[in-house]
Amino acid sequence: MADPTAPNRPVRILLADDQPLLRTGFRMVLGAEPDLDIVAEAGDGVEAVELSRRLLPDVVLMDIRMPRMDGVTATRAIVDARLPVRVLILTTFDLDEYVVGALRAGASGFLAKDVPAEDLVTAIHTVAGGDAVVAPRILRRLLDRFADALPDPAASPPKALSALTDREREVLVQVARGLSNAEIARALSVSETTIKTHVGHVLTKLGLRDRVQAVVLAYESGLVRPGA
């Protein structure tokens, strides 16, 4: 299999959606990008898992609601199989009831289907590069919905966060607020490379897979609260 980090190598994409018209629309938009390559389409979750095993795409654009197997179950099957495949969930609803389940299943991103084309392309590259992305409005509404269940930020921080330096905790707060590495670097007046290093240390120390899990932990621990 070709090295996904090799220069000039297009990102290989599998489209998984039970609506042929939507798949056609995504194919038209993404097919116009020279650095993206749509290798196959799946009409349900079972087919998505089978094609992921056989073709090993870099990214699966996964619909949530599909016949035979929904997107959450399909995502979990792909992640549990330890395939070198990342899953970017697309949904019609900002607060689909499956959002939490999809993230817990190992999805690397979550976007609404009406996302602007340029944002979708950026998200695909972000996920393919090993990072994660969640549409700000989805994350905001999700966290607002469960705000009452979150701990008081004035309380003592959980022991897990004690492993972080003050700067790493500061970076985690900015990540939880949805800032990119470049935006955090500007806010803290340091280089983007430095921020990338800090983010890596945060993920390693806290045993997290990606930025999505870091965001969830930051809110669950009370380090950050919705609207703060």
Side-chain angles (χ1 to χ4, degrees), residues 160-176 184 188 194-195 197-206 214 223:
L161 296 182
S162 65
L164 303 181
T165 64
D166 290 343
R167 178 45 63 96
E168 288 167 351
R169 188 176 301 189
E170 188 176 12
V171 168
L172 175 56
V173 168
Q174 300 302 324
V175 168
I184 299 173
L188 301 183
T194 297
I195 295 302
T197 299
H198 284 316
V199 172
H201 288 165
V202 169
L203 298 182
T204 299
K205 288 182 177 181
L206 299 181
L223 185 62

Side-chain angles (χ1 to χ4, degrees), residues 50-69:
E50 292 175 347
L51 288 172
S52 293
R53 290 178 179 274
R54 181 157 55 88
L55 300 177
L56 297 180
D58 299 311
V59 177
V60 179
L61 290 187
M62 184 82 76
D63 185 23
I64 281 284
R65 299 175 177 179
M66 294 186 291
R68 292 211 291 169
M69 180 185 291

Side-chain angles (χ1 to χ4, degrees), residues 37-108:
D37 180 20
I38 299 174
V39 297
E41 297 181 16
D44 59 59
V46 171
E47 190 177 11
V49 174
E50 292 175 347
L51 288 172
S52 293
R53 290 178 179 274
R54 181 157 55 88
L55 300 177
L56 297 180
D58 299 311
V59 177
V60 179
L61 290 187
M62 184 82 76
D63 185 23
I64 281 284
R65 299 175 177 179
M66 294 186 291
R68 292 211 291 169
M69 180 185 291
D70 62 61
V72 174
T73 305
T75 297
R76 184 175 294 108
I78 291 171
V79 173
D80 288 349
R82 299 185 180 278
L83 301 177
V85 176
R86 309 276 288 183
V87 178
L88 178 55
I89 296 287
L90 296 175
T91 179
T92 305
F93 308 97
D94 282 0
L95 259 183
D96 193 292
E97 61 266 31
Y98 296 118
V99 172
V100 174
L103 297 178
R104 286 177 175 168
S108 296

Side-chain angles (χ1 to χ4, degrees), residues 198-221:
H198 284 316
V199 172
H201 288 165
V202 169
L203 298 182
T204 299
K205 288 182 177 181
L206 299 181
L208 305 175
R209 185 182 63 248
D210 52 39
R211 293 173 84 99
V212 170
Q213 290 191 339
V215 170
V216 172
L217 176 64
Y219 279 93
E220 286 182 341
S221 67

